[in-house]
């Protein structure tokens, strides 16, 4: 399983994000490319902020889905998302892509972090699992737009 914290994987993701353009068309789902790059920011922000004292995750969600977050099996199309990461209105693609690129840079800069607080929905992850989760989410949506 690839990890976002590997240099080659980080560079691959960055190149794929930069290959998106305003006219990139989705292969599935309802989001526009602007909404997708906005949506991809939220999981990165969670990891970067690494807030203490948050929830330890939902036991039912952890039991059903957690292992699928950091393995090589592709996620099925049209999975539901948390309301906080659901784009309800159109987003400016250029602005949101710049923000996403900055968040990618900021998270990669934390690749040596050893202390990780629990994810607010999925609970505790190892450093390796955080890198795999971030890559898998980004890969899912980049494939959604053909890059």
């Amino acid at each position: 399983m690839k990890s976002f914290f590997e240099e080659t994987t980080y560079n691959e993701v960055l190149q794929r994000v930069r290959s998106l353009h305003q006219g990139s068309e989705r292969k599935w789902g309802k989001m526009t490319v602007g909404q997708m790059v906005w949506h991809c920011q939220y999981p990165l922000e969670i990891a970067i902020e690494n807030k203490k004292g948050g929830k330890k995750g939902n036991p039912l969600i952890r039991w059903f889905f957690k292992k699928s977050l950091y393995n090589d099996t592709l996620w099925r199309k049209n999975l539901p998302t948390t309301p906080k990461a659901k784009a309800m209105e159109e987003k400016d693609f250029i602005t949101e892509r710049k923000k996403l690129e900055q968040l990618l840079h900021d998270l990669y800069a934390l690749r040596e972090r050893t202390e990780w607080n629990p994810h607010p929905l999925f609970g505790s992850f190892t450093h390796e699992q955080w890198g795999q989760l971030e890559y898998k989410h980004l890969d899912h949506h980049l494939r959604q737009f053909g890059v």
Side-chain angles (χ1 to χ4, degrees):
M1 175 77 204
K2 290 184 179 182
S3 170
F4 180 79
F5 298 131
E6 298 164 349
E7 184 177 8
T8 56
T9 303
Y10 165 73
N11 288 328
E12 170 207 321
V13 167
L14 195 56
Q15 183 276 325
R16 289 168 70 189
V17 168
R18 289 177 175 161
S19 70
L20 292 166
H21 53 85
Q22 184 66 43
S24 294
E25 293 186 29
R26 64 184 173 260
K27 294 183 173 191
W28 72 82
K30 297 178 182 178
M31 289 188 287
T32 65
V33 68
Q35 290 171 324
M36 183 274 287
V37 293
W38 176 86
H39 165 85
C40 286
Q41 295 169 28
Y42 183 64
L44 299 169
E45 290 168 344
I46 289 172
I48 291 165
E49 290 172 5
N50 198 33
K51 290 183 180 176
K52 287 187 177 186
K55 297 177 186 175
K56 301 237 187 233
N58 179 314
L60 188 60
I61 290 175
R62 274 198 318 260
W63 190 78
F64 278 114
F65 300 110
K66 188 170 179 181
K67 288 185 181 180
S68 75
L69 300 177
Y70 50 85
N71 66 31
D72 284 322
T73 303
L74 297 178
W75 289 340
R76 68 177 174 84
K77 299 170 183 175
N78 301 311
L79 288 170
T81 190
T82 179
K84 212 170 187 180
K86 194 169 191 172
M88 300 306 288
E89 66 278 332
E90 186 51 52
K91 303 293 181 180
D92 180 71
F93 170 72
I94 299 298
T95 301
E96 299 305 333
R97 185 176 67 180
K98 285 179 185 175
K99 288 180 188 175
L100 179 59
E101 287 180 23
Q102 184 61 54
L103 288 167
L104 293 171
H105 172 76
D106 293 350
L107 183 60
Y108 184 70
L110 298 171
R111 66 192 173 278
E112 301 297 326
R113 178 192 278 166
T114 58
E115 298 286 324
W116 292 88
N117 287 307
H119 186 281
L121 186 59
F122 299 110
S124 296
F125 289 112
T126 66
H127 175 80
E128 182 179 350
Q129 290 167 340
W130 272 104
Q132 292 167 338
L133 165 66
E134 295 297 346
Y135 172 75
K136 191 165 184 177
H137 182 254
L138 291 161
D139 177 64
H140 176 76
H141 288 293
L142 292 169
R143 283 185 303 101
Q144 180 183 14
F145 282 84
V147 297

